[in-house]
Amino acid sequence: DQQVKQNSPSLSVQEGRISILNCDYTNSMFDYFLWYKKYPAEGPTFLISISSIKDKNEDGRFTVFLNKSAKHLSLHIVPSQPGDSAVYFCAAFYSGYSTLTFGKGTMLLVSP
Amino acid sequence: DAMVIQNPRYQVTQFGKPVTLSCSQTLNHNVMYWYQQKSSQAPKLLFHYYDKDFNNEADTPDNFQSRRPNTSFCFLDIRSPGLGDAAMYLCATRTGTGANQPQHFGDGTRLSIL
């Protein structure tokens, strides 16, 4: 039973436009959410996170939005750049347990 | 500067032949994790150590074992690899259990079974 779902396996966007990656979760105990970015032949690297007490966190071109009532979060990348092409994993965590639950990832392709 | 280092990057072993994957870290993090990731799947947690305390996930096969001789090193032992164990194995570290501390991943070891 997948507790973290990324329903879009892939997304294609033109350079300069907005990329929106979506993530849904089912476990209401999750209270912290993270996005990781993974290039081929490399391990995932942490990108941005958000606590469940917030509904938005921004870091440069990256913004994560959280809708707790819908159990949904999204990552916005504006403007998208070709170097953003990678697989993006959504992950969730709940306090008191030190492990993450990952989604399957969404492959983002940003074309020039 | 590599902070979580996995060796080897690629490992080929024979069906049923034991294999050991290694992970080392320079971050002095007290939590270390091993994940298995198959193509187009989410990384699946196998087990983790909080300091020397070992935590096995309920669905991790008995075929998979781990050792953590000190803070810096952690090993994944697969006693009798089957074809279904071919995957990318990711090691990660984290400091403490606070939610706001992200995990740091190594680049993984891709394991192939002949």
Side-chain angles (χ1 to χ4, degrees):
Chain A
D1 179 33
Q2 268 188 283
Q3 297 186 63
V4 177
K5 299 178 184 179
Q6 294 177 258
N7 292 319
S8 298
S10 63
L11 175 68
S12 292
V13 171
Q14 279 195 316
E15 181 177 9
R17 307 293 288 267
I18 184 171
S19 296
I20 300 176
L21 297 102
N22 293 303
C23 178
D24 297 292
Y25 62 96
T26 57
N27 189 338
S28 57
M29 293 191 63
F30 288 141
D31 55 10
Y32 205 79
F33 303 90
L34 304 90
W35 285 93
Y36 282 81
K37 175 177 170 181
K38 184 182 183 302
Y39 291 118
E42 295 183 10
T45 55
F46 170 71
L47 188 59
I48 192 170
S49 61
I50 189 167
S51 164
S52 60
I53 62 173
K54 295 185 176 181
D55 55 17
K56 178 182 174 181
N57 188 28
E58 191 172 354
D59 183 2
R61 296 185 297 114
F62 302 91
T63 302
V64 56
F65 295 92
L66 175 63
N67 182 334
K68 279 186 66 178
S69 60
K71 294 191 177 70
H72 176 83
L73 61 155
S74 59
L75 174 67
H76 293 214
I77 306 173
V78 183
S80 301
Q81 299 173 354
D84 296 329
S85 298
V87 177
Y88 289 79
F89 289 98
C90 173
F93 178 102
Y94 60 89
S95 301
Y97 194 60
S98 61
T99 66
L100 289 174
T101 301
F102 283 88
K104 290 185 176 183
T106 296
M107 179 179 290
L108 173 66
L109 178 61
V110 181
S111 53
Chain B
D1 292 342
M3 295 179 288
V4 182
I5 302 163
Q6 291 189 244
N7 284 305
R9 293 294 310 276
Y10 301 92
Q11 175 74 57
V12 180
T13 191
Q14 291 179 329
F15 182 93
K17 185 173 182 181
V19 66
T20 294
L21 310 182
S22 74
C23 177
S24 63
Q25 55 137 337
T26 59
L27 299 163
N28 205 34
H29 284 171
N30 50 357
V31 193
M32 293 187 79
Y33 306 83
W34 279 105
Y35 291 87
Q36 179 193 66
Q37 187 187 14
K38 297 186 177 180
S39 181
S40 302
Q41 297 295 313
K44 178 181 179 298
L45 182 66
L46 296 172
F47 23 59
H48 74 280
Y49 278 92
Y50 189 98
D51 292 322
K52 292 186 177 181
D53 293 333
F54 177 70
N55 298 272
N56 197 33
E57 294 299 298
D59 57 354
T60 298
D62 292 339
N63 200 23
F64 290 83
Q65 304 283 320
S66 185
R67 296 170 283 137
R68 189 178 186 188
N70 54 52
T71 301
S72 301
F73 286 88
C74 195
F75 299 98
L76 170 61
D77 300 309
I78 309 176
R79 292 190 298 186
S80 181
L83 296 177
D85 297 327
M88 174 70 81
Y89 289 87
L90 294 165
C91 173
T93 72
R94 193 157 71 100
T95 181
T97 56
N100 61 349
Q101 300 298 323
Q103 293 183 16
H104 297 262
F105 284 83
D107 286 337
T109 294
R110 175 142 327 260
L111 178 66
S112 299
I113 314 294
L114 299 180

